Amino acid sequence: MNGGGEGVSASAAPLEWKFSQVFGERTAGEEVQEVDIISAIEFDRTGDHLATGDRGGRVVLFERTDNKEHGGHRRDLERTDYSIGRHPEFRYKTEFQSHEPEFDYLKSLEIEEKINKIRWCQTANGALFLLSTNDKTIKFWKVQEKKVKKVCDMNVDPSKAVGNGPVVGCTSTSSRPYLANGGCKERPISYLSNDVSFPPGGFSSLHLPVVVTSHETSLTARCRRVYAHAHDYHINSISNNSDGETFISADDLRINLWNLEISNQSFNIVDVKPANMEDLTEVITSAEFHPTQCNMLAYSSSKGSIRLIDMRQSALCDTHSKLFEEQEVVGSKSFFTEIIASISDIKFAKDGRHILSRDYMTLKLWDINMDSGPVATFQVHEYLRPKLCDLYENDSIFDKFECCLSGDGLHVATGSYSNLFRVFGCSEGSTEATTLEASKTPMRRQVQNPSRPSRPMGSLPRVLRRGVDTSGADANGNAFDFTTKLLHLAWHPTDNSLACAASNSLYMYYA
């Protein structure tokens, strides 16, 4: 799949996935704290940084290490006429508390600290910028390395200045408050220390302390702006614009447009709230800006439709430019039809030509130039169709699975139950449909799906694709566990590398 819509050779071999890394791995029988469960994952545009958010309101940053450790001068790399077979490797960088639990006294409503979405912004002067949001409040963070400053060149040797407290710039584990001159508040003013030794005859001159910048650095995260009080309902999406200046935030009924520099004002560009709430038939479930055209954005609804809007048409984008929805098969409607049709996530392909959507049962790939139906449909949960009543009873039918595309647009991926995730090939003639488990042995529960002959993506409005597994168990006979679900995953922007969140653990794979 590419911007020109030309097919890729059908002889492309399926990806062979291998385990790379795991962060926060659980030991057998270890109980997971609710606040440690990962709720958001996002690579930055370069793929050199990865951010995760959790239900405890924390944001954890990871940085890529294989580029730094193996990277040479550009001249040396240009001399090598072979590709270096490395896969992305990451290490822990830093973490910070993004959101705290709050209480809305006007509505008597608790606002939990869970991070719903994270989006990276453009870097500047070596600093990292990102947006994070919980249900109500969006925050703009700046993370940068600062050189540690120390005080030196004093008369008194810091190692002997025990009585008067630690010298400024020296680390101390004591929590006692010290005065500016080094004294301690807990001691009486008349207290004199004999711990400091003076040379015979005293000091010949007074040395003023000098502040010097050391080679050591420390990472600091600072909240630059807070965008609050703009949503009556829970925020489900935030998305950066390609202009680098604006972003959108979406809740169930409205989409707001913000300027990164202005936190006290936003513009409501989409409002689907009816005059009478009893007439409400659908809500907004996800929204995302076009990757290259700053005036275009798409949003999905609980009825399974995707609307493409152009902000140049009007200030309030009540009318859409294009509507993408699949025609309902006559006689197939049931009580669960609308529930399972609700789209939980949409993603633009890197070229902006295609949109990937995830509903409860399937992944669908849409061409923005063809609104008659999806160009490809990938079956993810068809085996659950007989169990929809049970899933409705335990609320699993409302689980919101995310989806992602590879940087080259040739593969798509999404999560499932039992900590499984699925990868499909979407190039012309591809029959790839792989099921993997988020563990150190991802192929352990490989499901063998019968491949079906597939046709070019543009040949028919709807093409039923591979991945159908009608049993309630995997290839090894293991029953699917609906309490463990892989909701969040992200594809590296340039490499075939996946980051998956299984409870509180972050697993990384490469192909």
Side-chain angles (χ1 to χ4, degrees):
M1 180 184 78
N2 52 33
E6 296 176 2
V8 179
S9 172
S11 60
L15 297 177
E16 292 187 14
W17 292 94
K18 300 179 181 66
F19 170 78
S20 175
Q21 292 172 281
V22 59
F23 297 95
E25 185 183 18
R26 281 186 295 171
T27 57
E30 180 186 354
E31 187 177 347
V32 177
Q33 299 295 320
E34 179 81 9
V35 294
D36 294 331
I37 296 176
I38 297 172
S39 56
I41 302 180
E42 185 77 6
F43 281 104
D44 72 347
R45 189 172 297 179
T46 64
D48 291 338
H49 293 91
L50 174 66
T52 65
D54 62 26
R55 294 188 183 179
R58 291 163 298 194
V59 172
V60 183
L61 304 184
F62 302 88
E63 66 177 347
R64 188 169 178 174
T65 59
D66 56 302
N67 280 348
K68 293 181 180 180
E69 292 171 2
H70 301 282
H73 293 289
R74 181 177 174 180
R75 221 174 297 158
D76 299 331
L77 293 173
E78 286 175 348
R79 288 197 193 105
T80 61
D81 56 354
Y82 59 90
S83 61
I84 304 173
R86 294 196 309 271
H87 61 272
E89 291 182 359
F90 288 81
R91 71 181 173 198
Y92 170 86
K93 185 178 180 75
T94 188
E95 68 180 84
F96 55 91
Q97 188 71 33
S98 174
H99 287 73
E100 301 280 357
E102 300 174 41
F103 189 81
D104 187 335
Y105 293 96
L106 292 175
K107 298 180 179 179
S108 297
L109 183 70
E110 288 186 11
I111 304 171
E112 61 180 355
E113 65 271 33
K114 178 175 81 92
I115 304 296
N116 289 344
K117 295 289 180 183
I118 296 174
R119 290 292 180 266
W120 289 91
C121 302
Q122 294 180 357
T123 58
N125 300 323
L128 303 173
F129 295 89
L130 61 151
L131 290 164
S132 62
T133 184
N134 64 353
D135 286 338
K136 295 290 183 180
T137 306
I138 307 160
K139 295 186 179 182
F140 183 49
W141 291 91
K142 178 182 181 180
V143 181
Q144 67 178 151
E145 287 187 348
K146 287 191 174 180
K147 291 188 175 180
V148 178
K149 293 182 178 180
K150 291 186 177 181
V151 179
C152 66
D153 194 17
M154 292 179 290
N155 292 90
V156 180
D157 183 1
S159 63
K160 297 179 181 178
V162 180
N164 280 348
V167 177
V168 178
C170 299
T171 57
S172 171
T173 56
S174 173
S175 61
R176 292 185 297 174
Y178 290 97
L179 300 175
N181 63 357
C184 181
K185 287 183 180 178
E186 293 178 4
R187 296 185 183 131
I189 298 176
S190 59
Y191 176 85
L192 294 176
S193 171
N194 297 322
D195 296 334
V196 180
S197 59
F198 291 88
F203 293 107
S204 58
S205 62
L206 177 64
H207 292 179
L208 291 176
V210 178
V211 178
V212 295
T213 304
S214 69
H215 295 292
E216 298 176 24
T217 59
S218 65
L219 275 167
T220 59
R222 190 160 65 93
C223 183
R224 294 288 303 275
R225 285 176 189 85
V226 178
Y227 313 90
H229 312 301
H231 288 277
D232 291 330
Y233 304 93
H234 290 178
I235 298 171
N236 55 48
S237 304
I238 52 175
S239 178
N240 304 82
N241 199 343
S242 58
D243 63 10
E245 298 178 358
T246 56
F247 71 94
I248 55 171
S249 59
D251 64 22
D252 290 346
L253 299 179
R254 294 187 177 96
I255 299 177
N256 293 333
L257 177 68
W258 301 82
N259 188 300
L260 282 167
E261 301 296 323
I262 303 170
S263 60
N264 60 355
Q265 185 183 43
S266 66
F267 295 96
N268 177 226
I269 57 173
V270 175
D271 189 348
V272 300
K273 184 178 181 181
N276 185 354
M277 284 296 283
E278 292 181 0
D279 298 330
L280 183 68
T281 58
E282 63 179 332
V283 296
I284 298 168
T285 57
S286 182
E288 185 164 281
F289 262 120
H290 191 280
T292 56
Q293 298 181 30
C294 61
N295 56 287
M296 304 288 288
L297 64 96
Y299 69 91
S300 59
S301 81
S302 57
K303 278 194 168 182
S305 60
I306 301 172
R307 289 172 174 84
L308 193 68
I309 61 175
D310 189 339
M311 294 193 295
R312 296 172 299 184
Q313 289 182 341
S314 63
L316 186 62
C317 305
D318 284 337
T319 57
H320 50 266
S321 302
K322 286 190 177 180
L323 174 67
F324 305 95
E325 59 183 356
E326 193 166 22
Q327 298 303 316
E328 190 177 309
V329 180
V330 180
S332 63
K333 193 172 178 66
S334 70
F335 174 76
F336 304 108
T337 301
E338 280 196 15
I339 300 175
I340 62 176
S342 176
I343 295 175
S344 56
D345 189 28
I346 60 170
K347 292 285 194 312
F348 270 101
K350 198 174 182 179
D351 58 10
R353 171 72 182 270
H354 295 85
I355 299 174
L356 181 69
S357 68
R358 170 69 205 264
D359 56 48
Y360 190 71
M361 306 295 283
T362 65
L363 269 176
K364 291 186 176 74
L365 191 66
W366 308 79
D367 187 330
I368 64 172
N369 294 338
M370 190 179 76
D371 54 7
S372 57
V375 293
T377 299
F378 308 94
Q379 300 294 342
V380 180
H381 280 163
E382 188 61 30
Y383 67 91
L384 293 179
R385 199 171 288 276
K387 301 181 175 65
L388 291 179
C389 284
D390 297 334
L391 295 167
Y392 179 78
E393 290 294 326
N394 61 24
D395 286 342
S396 293
I397 200 170
F398 301 106
D399 288 335
K400 300 183 184 304
F401 293 92
E402 292 180 2
C403 59
C404 59
L405 298 98
S406 60
D408 57 14
L410 300 181
H411 294 86
V412 295
T414 190
S416 182
Y417 293 105
S418 300
N419 284 340
L420 301 178
F421 62 99
R422 313 209 59 189
V423 180
F424 300 94
C426 53
S427 58
E428 182 181 344
S430 173
T431 58
E432 181 177 355
T434 310
T435 303
L436 305 108
E437 182 185 38
S439 68
K440 288 187 175 180
T441 52
M443 306 296 284
R444 182 169 67 91
R445 294 175 65 167
Q446 174 69 32
V447 177
Q448 300 299 328
N449 295 299
S451 58
R452 299 184 174 189
S454 58
R455 288 163 283 187
M457 281 169 42
S459 62
L460 285 174
R462 288 183 292 157
V463 183
L464 190 65
R465 301 303 294 268
R466 295 87 47 218
V468 181
D469 178 44
T470 56
S471 68
D474 63 19
N476 298 330
N478 300 308
F480 287 102
D481 181 4
F482 299 115
T483 61
T484 56
K485 42 202 161 193
L486 200 151
L487 301 176
H488 312 285
L489 76 172
W491 202 300
H492 191 278
T494 57
D495 296 306
N496 283 327
S497 176
L498 273 168
C500 308
S503 187
N504 66 324
S505 303
L506 177 67
Y507 287 91
M508 306 200 71
Y509 304 93
Y510 69 97

